[in-house]
Amino acid sequence: FVQALKLTDIISDISFVTKLEEVPGKLKLVSVNLKVLFADIVEELSADIALNNIRIVNELDSDNFSGSYNLIYAILRNLLENAVKYAGEGSVVKVSSKLLPDGSHELDFHDNGRGVPEDTIDKIFDRFYRISSDMEMRKEGSGLGLTIVRNSVLAHKGEIHAYHVPGGGLG
């Protein structure tokens, strides 16, 4: 039964990614308050956050953002789930945003956890890519979470980049 649920989740993730790739530019845009949405996601994941002793710093602007609610939710949820799973116990996750002069928004999401090896940083948004240490730690996942994040950002005509945080961690 558990394997069937895992397979269902993977199929759902694949379907989500495929839909994003097939219908670019056909988003239903609504006004989304990033700060409130992220606080709701933190509440949803509060048990895992507490279990891993993760501290969350929500410095998102309270301004509204025009975008697809479901895709923005998917971006923030997948990023936070990954940080909770992989950053390491006692890590700090910080998320902030700012309005740029051209009217676009810049979102910075980073942690001070264990990060990823230098040679994998460009691959983490690829479909099904899993860092070998994740598999050794038996962390479950489809390998599609960050692909969903990337495609959701691209659907909003945005860009996404991963970087190593000075002192450790990933942004």
Side-chain angles (χ1 to χ4, degrees), residues 33-61:
N33 186 305
L34 295 176
K35 188 173 192 79
V36 171
L37 176 58
F38 187 70
D40 291 344
I41 293 168
V42 168
E43 181 62 30
E44 290 171 16
L45 299 176
S46 62
D48 289 332
I49 290 168
L51 182 66
N52 290 290
N53 193 29
I54 304 288
R55 187 167 68 93
I56 307 295
V57 179
N58 182 349
E59 294 183 349
L60 290 164
D61 289 335

Side-chain angles (χ1 to χ4, degrees), residues 4 18 25 38 40 48 55 71 78 94 99 120 144 146 150 156 162-163 166:
T18 302
F38 187 70
D40 291 344
D48 289 332
R55 187 167 68 93
L71 296 186
N78 278 297
K94 182 178 176 183
L99 181 62
T120 64
L144 291 170
L146 292 179
R150 180 197 63 209
H156 283 92
Y163 63 93

Side-chain angles (χ1 to χ4, degrees), residues 90-144:
S91 295
V92 177
V93 173
K94 182 178 176 183
V95 60
S96 60
S97 62
K98 64 181 174 183
L99 181 62
L100 300 177
D102 67 359
S104 64
H105 292 263
E106 180 179 273
L107 178 73
D108 184 50
F109 188 106
H110 67 271
D111 62 64
N112 67 343
R114 53 179 144 253
V116 299
E118 187 68 42
D119 63 335
T120 64
I121 200 159
D122 292 333
K123 300 174 188 171
I124 63 173
F125 297 109
D126 293 348
R127 280 186 189 202
F128 304 114
Y129 184 76
R130 302 275 316 268
I131 297 171
S132 61
S133 63
D134 297 344
M135 290 181 245
E136 291 164 10
M137 292 187 298
R138 300 207 182 265
K139 298 285 184 183
E140 300 202 7
S142 65
L144 291 170

